[in-house]
Amino acid sequence: MSGLQDLIATDTTMLMIGLGLFCVPLLAGLILIFFGRKLPRGGDWIAQSSIVACAIASVWLFWQVIVKHDQTDWTWWSASAGLDWTWIKTGPFEVTVGLFYDNMTVIMAAMVTVVASCIFFFSAGYMHGDRDYPRFFAYLSYFCFAMMGLVVVDNLLFLFIFWELVGVGSYLLIGFFYDQVEPPKASLKAFMVNRVGDVLFLLGLIIAWQMFGTLRYPELFERLAAGEFAPLSSDHILAGWDHQALLTLSGILIFCGAVSKSAQLPLHTWLPDAMAGPTPVSALIHAATMVAAGVFMVGRMYPYFTPTVLVVIAMVGAFTALIGATMGLVAWDIKKVLAYSTMSQLGYMMLGLGVGGFVAGLFHLITHAFFKACLFLGSGSVIHAVHSQDMRDMGGLRKKMPFTYATFLVATLALAGVPMFAGYYSKDQIVANAMAWGLTGGIAHWIPLVFGAIGVLLTTFYMFRLVFLTFHGAPADKHKYDHAHESPPVMVLPLVVLAAFGLFGGGTIHPLPNNDELWFNSVVEKPVSAAAVGLGFPSAAHDLPGLKRGGHGEPAETGHGEDFFEEPGVFEGDHGEWIDALHKAHYPALILSMIMIAAGYLLARRMYLTRSTDPEEVSKRFGPLHKIISNKYYFDEFYAIAVIGNLKKWNNGLAWFDKNILDGAVNLVALLCRFVAFICGMFDTYVIDGFVNFWRGLIRGLSSVLRLLQTGNARDYLTWTLVGLIILAFVLR
Amino acid sequence: MDILSLIIFSPLLAAVAILLIPSERKDALRTTCVAGALVPLVLATKLWVDFDTTVASYQFGVSIDWIKSLGIQYSLGVDGLSIPMVWLAALLMFIAPFAAWKIEKGVKGFMLLLLLLETGILGVFCSLDLFLFYVFWEVMLLPMYFLIGIWGGKRREYAAIKFFLYTLAGSVLMLLGIVALYLCVRDVTPTPFSIPVLSEMVQSGQVTGANLINGGVLFGWPFLKWVFLFFFIAFAIKVPIVPFHTWLPDAHVEAPTSISMVLAGILLKLGCYGILRINLGMFPDIAMDFATIGAVIGVVSILYGAFVAMAQTDFKRMVAYSSVSHMGYVLLGASALTSAGLNGAAMQMFTHGTSSAMLFLLVGVAYDRAHHREIEGFGGLASVAPVYTGITTLGFFAALGLPGMSGFVSEFLVLVGSWGVYPVLTSLAVIGIVITAAFLLWTLQRVFLGPLNEKYKDFPDVDKREIFTLVPLAILCVLLGVVPQILLGHMEATMEQIRALFG
């Protein structure tokens, strides 16, 4: 481990490659957006060569980190690369960021770039002739920039930043056909639903920041493990909350980000609509990478989560896995089936992580990415051929499109979890973990297993329904069938590569493997729960060499220890009861899965291949249930009325209040002022001025009388003088 | 002449020059205005470069006795709080004449008033003397009144008088506050209007108002609390906070594009600046008493502004209400009185200055071509105006606080800074983030995306002049989102000094 640390610290190549992984696609995107139209072939070669370069670099990193240095554990004290950039520093507030190379980073980076490379080439065929061809590659490159940034940073805040940037990539690409009606609506919906999850995520990380003053994974987990919580102020509204409660709150809020990003219930509604984007986009963003980022983030933050949070994750995952699968049963749009399938599979990953199957969940993330990308591209190839997404227009295409069919079938088998295919090795582990969780807990702990097992059946069923409807049977639309043709090599080749990963991604084709010897299990190890250590629980202590104990004194004093023990899968590391349960569960889980797969396949065959049972009959028998599922459990309707409708009403009400009451009051004041001014004016005119005018009038009146005397005639004056003298004489007598 | 005086008065010189140019020579008038606005921008940039980021107090100071009998000084200086605003003001005032290039009516008067306005704005940010501050504050008011009242839209007179009266009401309160402080200290200090001197005296408890009123208590409140309140209301009207905001939508909507841009970009910041400089910087103890109320007002503004913006059908009115919402963050961050909160507030002033200016310019582009602003009346403009759509998308993302853009950094700082103090209020405030994204992107969808409205099939894309006004702002939005330290580094020392006032 320290070898790698030294290597990263001294070897700037590692650093430059890490930076290049996201800077190069960004550069390619910028070149394409500004100059794409002037470049030959719309500049697609720039995007393709940049992503291939990233893929090569990622594989090199993979080799450096995993093969050469064999860094087998993924713990919070593992490698952080030699970059220490101060993003914000102001007073005591400081945010620094670096790159983070651990096994999960390099695995994820390799997966993303390899899948993206396949999709970039496929797109050259699929989008050929589109008037916005350069813009498409510009957006794809931009997306890869954001996605790679998300993978390599060592800081939850920066993960969040890139997290939102991939959301923008998704927004732009879902709405790529901007002059149509549906895509802009779907992109708005996707962004908004994600925004809801994201602000909760933001709140969660703000709480984490408040508690630990850092969001860099190694520092964060170290401080948490050492119990270095920032003091809560006493006059605080959360004064009654202890650290554990706050930690749980922030963990759940952070998980909410993953709920929207990874299309978990109840924030999944954007994903089916997102299929309005071009099919390569669905493959890259809405199947392999971005939606899986939620799972990746949960994996990254795994040491941070308290048992309560993990239970929430497991339950949300279990419900999503089942509900998603049921919705896939009734969809007719080939891409929508795959979208529901993605949702369901992401549910499996969450479920796996939640029940303590850390390795299983992340393994499934990797294997799923390849075969689901293959399925989406395969569907794209079909859509390209028949110009329809409705499976009722297809049928019999296997003869016309042999390569597409073969690769699609391989990916389907992998998705169903048939032995020897990649999905089998990861999914089977999830089921086994779920069973172990059931064995070691109360009755509610069986939910993940039951839902997961039913989900396996449904998965096999809807996938073979899709395969039979599309590739088998008689062509439903003769005209479309006649015009269908196999896609060009630039599209077929990526399918073959991805299908190969779907077949060999498990690293073995042994039907009964020892899980510990699978390549993924041998390089990724479940991290110790920093939350358990920091809160001071004994169960977590024994596999923590050299770590400081939690700041809460002896576990017995905390009073929570007993509760924590009830989640053995979570906090007991890989010891004791949990390991036993896992061993016990291994074969029963395997057998259960096989039964479910067989049942699903036979049902699908009966209904859609041999047609010995009419699907119509079945849907009629399940009338009300069928109706509910066909209407996607009325989630959309609920949100449209309860959330958006009420929000609009509320907004309009406030706007009315603003216009009529608040501004009305302002205008009323103005009116009153004018009224008062008017009264004052009247007073001024008639009273004050009137008073003045009165005197003026009086004086004028008098003077007008007096003026009569002033005739200017000397004889008159003499007369009046005489009169005056006579009066004086009388007076002074 | 010192650099600050040059910055402040060079637009005035250009205004004099404009007086000498005959009004028919419109291009000469415009060019003179641009030249007059370019000088402060260049000097402000130099100021920015020469600014010593390690010094918390005022730099480039100049102090000359002005009215000796009252101890009034011509005293200027900038610190980390004002220097970003000086630069932003200089930038936006440089862009403004370009945005107003197409105005044909009374070009001479328009450009003259614009330059006069610039002097007023820059003067306020640089003043260290309350009397001078007040004078510049009033100098700014009159040009604004005429710019809205003469060059505005249909209801321009109503809007102008509303703006004028509202601001005047605030000014009167501010004058009262200034006079009250003067009366308190006139016997103890030779410079009873100096902001640094007053701050020092208030904080050391030398100012109580006891020499005016027995015991310094008025209607049950300490005298200074009233003074604080007067200043606060004066500035709050300018911010504006709910419920004193109703002048803003009218003034923004009726004003011509360039003036809306200046109004949103800088004039609102004067209110925030006043709160940070006077209310927090001068009366920290009282500010602490009022902090919770400030935070409540801030969150109410954030949410109220966002909700009402979403209900608007007029493009420009929507943007105007989004300003109300965004300014709420400044108040929330300032009320937190934490390092992150204060920095976030100060940064939000700058980032909103760039993003809102951009939004108003963008609305102006649509209005110039379509002669209406009904959001529902457009549709599918992306098909005919891709560049316009692209820049608008960038502007909207900047305004909704997308990470990687400047708005995110300031909002994040505000939220981080305030959560520890007001967890519930902060948790409510994040609803505003969702709603802001909703109304902006919803507008984007209705105006630019979807099938093209046939009425606008000849809608011209943005021209070079418009791009020239938009690009600097767009660059700032991205640059400060990626490297916020450029801005925060300049503010750091001063903001820490302010924060230190609160223990």
Side-chain angles (χ1 to χ4, degrees):
Chain A
M1 200 164 20
S2 60
L4 185 70
Q5 289 275 32
D6 293 344
L7 178 77
I8 291 163
T10 54
D11 186 357
T12 47
T13 321
M14 294 278 280
L15 185 66
M16 296 319 285
I17 282 183
L19 291 174
L21 280 180
F22 58 96
C23 290
V24 169
L26 178 65
L27 197 66
L30 286 175
I31 292 171
L32 283 172
I33 202 88
F34 287 117
F35 309 109
R37 287 185 185 282
K38 293 176 190 131
L39 294 165
R41 279 181 42 212
D44 58 356
W45 48 278
I46 293 183
Q48 287 164 348
S49 49
S50 74
I51 197 70
V52 169
C54 286
I56 292 168
S58 301
V59 172
W60 184 82
L61 271 184
F62 184 88
W63 179 74
Q64 282 289 321
V65 174
I66 290 184
V67 182
K68 206 169 159 197
H69 291 274
D70 192 26
Q71 190 195 4
T72 51
D73 53 347
W74 183 24
T75 43
W76 64 86
W77 56 78
S78 74
S80 187
L83 177 68
D84 212 5
W85 183 49
T86 304
W87 189 55
I88 291 178
K89 189 198 165 300
T90 167
F93 188 89
E94 194 174 347
V95 181
T96 53
V97 65
L99 303 182
F100 193 67
Y101 294 120
D102 66 355
N103 293 2
M104 199 55 216
T105 298
V106 294
I107 292 169
M108 191 77 182
M111 181 278 276
V112 171
T113 49
V114 169
V115 171
S117 300
C118 293
I119 288 165
F120 273 49
F121 283 103
F122 183 91
S123 302
Y126 189 84
M127 298 300 287
H128 185 76
D130 192 281
R131 68 189 163 120
D132 281 317
Y133 186 77
R135 193 165 60 91
F136 184 75
F137 278 95
Y139 287 177
L140 277 188
S141 295
Y142 162 80
F143 171 80
C144 288
F145 142 72
M147 189 67 207
M148 292 314 294
L150 187 155
V151 171
V152 297
V153 290
D154 74 341
N155 186 321
L156 188 64
L157 178 61
F158 271 75
L159 181 137
F160 177 80
I161 288 173
F162 285 112
W163 178 273
E164 288 245 317
L165 292 181
V166 289
V168 173
S170 162
Y171 172 83
L172 292 172
L173 282 162
I174 294 170
F176 182 76
F177 301 122
Y178 57 84
D179 55 354
Q180 296 173 8
V181 178
E182 285 309 316
K185 285 187 183 164
S187 63
L188 177 67
K189 184 173 174 181
F191 195 87
M192 287 318 301
V193 173
N194 274 296
R195 193 80 175 167
V196 172
D198 289 355
V199 295
L200 298 175
F201 184 3
L202 184 66
L203 265 187
L205 67 84
I206 285 174
I207 298 175
W209 179 278
Q210 291 292 331
M211 284 192 291
F212 303 106
T214 180
L215 289 172
R216 291 182 95 163
Y217 310 122
E219 287 173 19
L220 177 65
F221 300 148
E222 259 166 33
R223 288 185 198 174
L224 171 56
E228 292 170 5
F229 295 89
L232 298 171
S233 59
S234 55
D235 57 353
H236 206 270
I237 199 140
L238 297 169
W241 292 55
D242 59 6
H243 293 309
Q244 187 185 336
L246 270 180
L247 203 59
T248 302
L249 176 68
S250 106
I252 289 177
L253 286 171
I254 289 172
F255 172 63
C256 284
V259 169
S260 60
K261 197 61 106 198
S262 294
Q264 302 292 293
L265 286 173
L267 298 178
H268 63 283
T269 57
W270 65 273
L271 185 62
D273 289 33
M275 296 301 129
T279 306
V281 170
S282 310
L284 179 63
I285 301 182
H286 305 118
T289 57
M290 185 188 82
V291 289
V295 180
F296 176 75
M297 185 271 281
V298 169
R300 267 278 186 259
M301 291 300 287
Y302 204 72
Y304 184 80
F305 294 136
T306 60
T308 319
V309 180
L310 291 175
V311 171
V312 170
I313 294 173
M315 290 302 173
V316 168
F319 275 90
T320 308
L322 181 68
I323 302 263
T326 57
M327 289 194 281
L329 300 176
V330 294
W332 288 109
D333 182 321
I334 185 168
K335 282 180 72 182
K336 291 243 161 116
V337 176
L338 293 175
Y340 290 123
S341 165
T342 305
M343 173 185 162
S344 165
Q345 294 302 310
L346 292 164
Y348 274 103
M349 297 171 205
M350 289 293 184
L351 182 163
L353 288 163
V355 299
F358 175 86
V359 179
L362 290 177
F363 191 19
H364 198 53
L365 157 59
I366 300 297
T367 55
H368 172 261
F370 288 103
F371 57 69
K372 186 53 72 60
C374 182
L375 288 172
F376 264 111
L377 292 187
S379 79
S381 176
V382 169
I383 293 164
H384 195 66
V386 298
H387 301 289
S388 167
Q389 299 188 189
D390 194 323
M391 294 190 290
R392 287 168 291 195
D393 293 343
M394 300 169 187
L397 288 172
R398 72 178 192 279
K399 294 186 199 97
K400 286 267 187 171
M401 312 177 74
F403 286 103
T404 304
Y405 172 65
T407 52
F408 203 92
L409 194 63
V410 169
T412 299
L413 293 170
L415 174 58
V418 173
M420 299 166 68
F421 292 88
Y424 163 72
Y425 300 100
S426 51
K427 202 192 232 172
D428 185 51
Q429 285 191 58
I430 292 177
V431 177
N433 276 285
M435 189 178 271
W437 205 55
L439 285 171
T440 54
I443 186 92
H445 277 200
W446 288 100
I447 289 176
L449 176 71
V450 174
F451 283 17
I454 298 172
V456 172
L457 185 149
L458 298 179
T459 306
T460 321
F461 178 82
Y462 67 65
M463 278 318 294
F464 278 98
R465 170 176 176 262
L466 195 162
V467 169
F468 292 147
L469 281 172
T470 309
F471 294 102
H472 290 257
D477 187 324
K478 191 83 180 95
H479 177 75
K480 286 196 163 109
Y481 177 80
D482 287 342
H483 282 81
H485 53 84
E486 182 59 282
S487 299
V490 72
M491 289 166 73
V492 171
L493 230 61
L495 287 176
V496 174
V497 173
L498 290 171
F501 277 104
L503 184 53
F504 302 112
T508 172
I509 49 168
H510 194 293
L512 290 174
N514 177 354
N515 279 344
D516 297 336
E517 285 168 16
L518 291 171
W519 74 271
F520 194 88
N521 292 47
S522 62
V523 297
V524 173
E525 202 171 79
K526 183 171 162 184
V528 173
S529 170
V533 184
L535 294 167
F537 298 104
S539 52
H542 51 82
D543 47 8
L544 276 176
L547 248 177
K548 275 182 283 178
R549 289 299 306 274
H552 276 251
E554 287 305 302
E557 292 168 9
T558 65
H560 297 293
E562 291 304 309
D563 302 340
F564 274 66
F565 261 124
E566 286 172 15
E567 314 295 343
V570 174
F571 267 7
E572 217 176 310
D574 285 339
H575 288 270
E577 194 190 357
W578 174 246
I579 288 291
D580 290 344
L582 208 52
H583 277 298
K584 243 186 266 170
H586 186 56
Y587 285 107
L590 188 66
I591 293 161
L592 181 66
S593 291
M594 291 308 113
I595 293 170
M596 288 302 181
I597 291 168
Y601 172 75
L602 290 173
L603 264 177
R605 186 185 145 85
R606 197 178 160 84
M607 282 167 70
Y608 294 100
L609 189 65
T610 64
R611 302 264 172 188
S612 44
T613 305
D614 185 9
E616 290 290 315
E617 288 286 313
V618 180
S619 60
K620 268 194 201 120
R621 188 175 307 162
F622 292 99
L625 187 63
H626 183 261
K627 190 157 178 268
I628 291 173
I629 296 176
S630 301
N631 284 297
K632 299 172 275 181
Y633 298 89
Y634 299 98
F635 271 105
D636 282 324
E637 286 77 5
F638 171 77
Y639 288 137
I641 296 165
V643 181
I644 299 169
N646 282 332
L647 178 66
K648 281 186 186 166
K649 271 187 211 155
W650 162 251
N651 291 341
N652 290 333
L654 271 187
W656 182 88
F657 170 82
D658 194 71
K659 193 175 167 197
N660 295 301
I661 308 294
L662 266 189
D663 210 24
V666 173
N667 287 335
L668 190 68
V669 170
L671 210 65
L672 276 177
C673 288
R674 286 175 68 177
F675 180 69
V676 171
F678 177 74
I679 298 289
C680 289
M682 292 306 248
F683 183 78
D684 199 54
T685 313
Y686 294 105
V687 182
I688 298 186
D689 247 16
F691 184 68
V692 175
N693 287 345
F694 169 74
W695 283 108
R696 197 188 66 176
L698 189 72
I699 291 164
R700 180 186 268 182
L702 278 176
S703 62
S704 65
V705 173
L706 290 175
R707 202 169 57 214
L708 292 175
L709 304 178
Q710 302 220 345
T711 57
N713 195 323
R715 201 180 52 203
D716 287 349
Y717 291 149
L718 212 66
T719 311
W720 284 112
T721 312
L722 198 63
V723 171
L725 278 173
I726 292 166
I727 292 170
L728 270 175
F730 269 101
V731 173
L732 303 172
R733 179 178 48 109
Chain B
M1 213 171 183
D2 61 288
I3 186 166
L4 287 182
S5 302
L6 266 177
I7 289 179
I8 295 170
F9 292 109
S10 52
L12 203 60
L13 286 178
V16 173
I18 278 183
L19 275 177
L20 303 176
I21 299 172
S23 43
E24 310 88 58
R25 297 186 55 201
K26 290 178 178 169
D27 274 340
L29 290 165
R30 291 170 185 137
T31 319
T32 314
C33 183
V34 167
L38 181 63
V39 177
L41 180 60
V42 171
L43 291 175
T45 309
K46 182 174 155 34
L47 200 68
W48 180 273
V49 174
D50 293 344
F51 186 82
D52 185 348
T53 54
T54 56
V55 176
S57 57
Y58 300 100
Q59 302 181 36
F60 308 102
V62 50
S63 202
I64 303 163
D65 283 339
W66 181 20
I67 305 175
K68 267 195 177 150
S69 55
L70 294 174
I72 295 170
Q73 289 179 311
Y74 173 77
S75 170
L76 305 173
V78 287
D79 65 358
L81 178 60
S82 48
I83 194 168
M85 301 321 295
V86 169
W87 193 80
L88 177 70
L91 175 72
L92 291 187
M93 294 309 293
F94 173 69
I95 293 175
F98 289 100
W101 208 263
K102 287 261 175 78
I103 287 178
E104 295 293 337
K105 175 176 116 182
V107 179
K108 187 168 179 176
F110 188 92
M111 297 298 164
L112 185 81
L113 290 170
L114 206 59
L115 290 166
L116 198 61
L117 180 66
E118 177 162 15
T119 294
I121 292 168
L122 291 169
V124 171
F125 284 128
C126 297
S127 296
L128 294 186
D129 182 282
L130 275 180
F131 189 82
L132 192 65
F133 183 90
Y134 182 77
V135 168
F136 279 124
W137 188 276
E138 293 298 310
V139 163
M140 191 174 69
L141 180 57
L142 222 60
M144 207 60 187
Y145 171 73
F146 288 116
L147 285 167
I148 298 172
I150 298 176
W151 286 274
K154 286 195 192 77
R155 294 169 71 228
R156 56 177 176 261
E157 279 157 23
Y158 171 77
I161 200 91
K162 198 172 181 181
F163 166 80
F164 188 84
L165 290 179
Y166 248 118
T167 317
L168 197 67
S171 305
V172 169
L173 288 175
M174 176 157 62
L175 188 63
L176 274 177
I178 294 173
V179 171
L181 279 177
Y182 165 72
L183 293 176
C184 287
V185 299
R186 63 175 163 175
D187 299 330
V188 248
T189 167
T191 53
F193 288 97
S194 159
I195 293 176
V197 171
L198 280 170
S199 306
E200 176 87 36
M201 291 178 70
V202 170
Q203 283 153 32
S204 60
Q206 295 177 51
V207 186
T208 55
N211 58 334
L212 299 177
I213 301 150
N214 203 9
V217 175
L218 186 65
F219 300 119
W221 266 12
F223 184 69
L224 279 189
K225 222 168 177 176
W226 290 105
V227 177
F228 177 92
L229 195 67
F230 284 174
F231 276 112
F232 181 75
I233 293 174
F235 297 133
I237 288 173
K238 203 83 179 173
V239 171
I241 62 160
V242 175
F244 301 137
H245 66 281
T246 63
W247 65 268
L248 181 138
D250 285 316
H252 276 68
V253 168
E254 298 308 325
T257 298
S258 52
I259 300 306
S260 306
M261 181 193 86
V262 172
L263 202 53
I266 321 168
L267 259 71
L268 307 188
K269 278 60 192 186
L270 287 160
C272 307
Y273 175 77
I275 289 175
L276 289 173
R277 171 72 77 219
I278 310 279
N279 287 100
L280 264 61
M282 202 180 274
F283 308 98
D285 295 338
I286 302 169
M288 272 197 270
D289 294 345
F290 278 95
T292 311
I293 297 172
V296 171
I297 295 173
V299 173
V300 168
S301 295
I302 292 171
L303 296 179
Y304 186 90
F307 285 132
V308 177
M310 197 167 169
Q312 299 305 317
T313 53
D314 181 314
F315 201 163
K316 205 169 181 184
R317 234 181 149 75
M318 180 207 79
V319 176
Y321 276 103
S322 81
S323 285
V324 176
S325 176
H326 279 124
M327 297 322 284
Y329 287 100
V330 178
L331 210 58
L332 178 62
S335 304
L337 305 175
T338 55
S339 193
L342 287 169
N343 276 291
M347 186 168 174
Q348 175 81 354
M349 285 161 61
F350 192 96
T351 58
H352 179 258
T354 52
S355 67
S356 70
M358 213 171 150
L359 293 192
F360 278 111
L361 287 173
L362 290 163
V363 173
V365 171
Y367 184 71
D368 283 350
R369 288 157 173 70
H371 306 292
H372 76 87
R373 291 183 300 255
E374 281 303 307
I375 295 173
E376 298 288 355
F378 292 96
L381 294 187
S383 304
V384 280
V387 180
Y388 179 35
T389 309
I391 300 181
T392 307
T393 309
L394 190 80
F396 277 18
F397 276 121
L400 64 81
L402 184 81
M405 310 277 242
S406 55
F408 170 74
V409 183
S410 51
E411 282 173 22
F412 172 73
L413 284 171
V414 166
L415 295 173
V416 165
S418 65
W419 195 87
V421 192
Y422 312 110
V424 175
L425 282 173
T426 309
S427 306
L428 286 174
V430 301
I431 298 171
I433 298 182
V434 179
I435 303 297
T436 305
F439 68 71
L440 284 173
L441 293 184
W442 191 29
T443 303
L444 192 70
Q445 182 214 323
R446 287 181 292 172
V447 174
F448 293 95
L449 309 176
L452 176 66
N453 183 344
E454 280 305 311
K455 239 163 83 186
Y456 298 113
K457 64 178 190 298
D458 298 323
F459 191 93
D461 208 338
V462 278
D463 58 31
K464 289 206 172 90
R465 175 185 61 87
E466 286 158 339
I467 290 178
F468 178 76
T469 59
L470 287 163
V471 163
L473 300 171
I475 291 176
L476 276 176
C477 286
V478 176
L479 185 70
L480 291 179
V482 178
V483 203
Q485 200 59 29
I486 298 175
L487 183 59
L488 291 170
H490 267 62
M491 305 193 311
E492 183 180 0
T494 304
M495 298 318 288
E496 269 315 292
Q497 194 187 38
I498 295 177
R499 193 201 60 79
L501 298 173
F502 305 97

